[in-house]
Amino acid sequence: FAAMGLGAMSLILPRPIMMFLQGVSLWVVARPRLSATPQLRRWRLMLRDGAQVFASHSAQVIIRQGDRLLLGLFVAEGALGAYFFAFNLSTQGVILLVQSLTGVLAAGLSKLQDDPGRQRRAFLDAIGVIGLVSIPLLALQSAVSDPLLRLLYQDRWTGAIAPLQILSIGAAISAIGWNNNAMFMARGLFKAQLIMSWIGAVGFLFVITTCAWLGGPITVAWGVVAFRAVYVPITLTVAAGGGRPTLVSAIGSALNPGIIACLAILPAWWLGVQVGAPGDRLALAGQIAITLALGSALYWLLARLLLRATYARFGARVRTMLPARIATRVPSWAL
């Protein structure tokens, strides 16, 4: 579509086309049975819970989209475009890593409804593993944002560098709470989910409006980080229950790997900066390679030593995903 000269429509048209093809493919493969009896007596329960979930998701759309809408009221078109570009890039890691887990977690946690303590522990264990993997990747994304955008686009998107670096931190926090909806659904807390979502939406609009009024894209980006740092752990605690211990565990799921990521990636980033002049494409590529390689290696080593329990759960899950012949050959020090 872009080659045909359709411009911005090139970003819009593929989505409905591919969603239609995906829907048709899923129906062909799954072949769901359609009953001739509508079972209207069950619709009342479905509509009640469905309405609450729909209202909750409406509030969550405000949280996920409101910063760009409000920022557009206060800044010029170019600054808004740079922020929009940075925000989209910052969220791709979260979407790739954790969005697909929502349905799986909701189904698995629903089976533990009769044992709330075990259900909560399973959820917190999953959150810990998500943090162990996603936070260093998003920290690396923040560290290489500058050389990567300059390498790919030269000076076209320099205005997006600082927002991308900041929003990558916000995305790391968001990764911890991205699957809170799974826990709300597994426990049947649709009303609590609705209340927390709209409290978050109102609070988010207030924070972002204030930041957009006082500053520009960078101020708004820091406002997003601050909001998520407060809202995500509280919502996770309400979803999982358990009070203060759950809150402490939720904060630790982000803080512990976050500290280790800083200790590992900052030296790698500093070493990468020493490679050469920032305008040289070869130097930029070297900076990216050094930061990614050394930062990943240092994080793996520190996480292996300092987050042993979480790393052991991560290793156990990875082994179950590998073919038996490969899993038996992976050394214990690696997983």
Side-chain angles (χ1 to χ4, degrees), residues 100-113 119 122-123 179 181-187:
S100 59
L101 296 176
T102 301
V104 178
L105 281 175
L109 294 171
S110 296
K111 298 178 181 179
L112 301 175
Q113 286 182 340
Q119 184 187 53
F123 178 65
N179 289 302
N181 287 339
M183 193 61 173
F184 276 120
M185 290 187 289
R187 298 182 65 199

Side-chain angles (χ1 to χ4, degrees), residues 272-290:
V273 171
Q274 310 308 310
V275 169
D280 183 78
R281 295 178 67 86
L282 184 60
L284 292 173
Q287 181 180 345
I288 295 170
I290 292 173

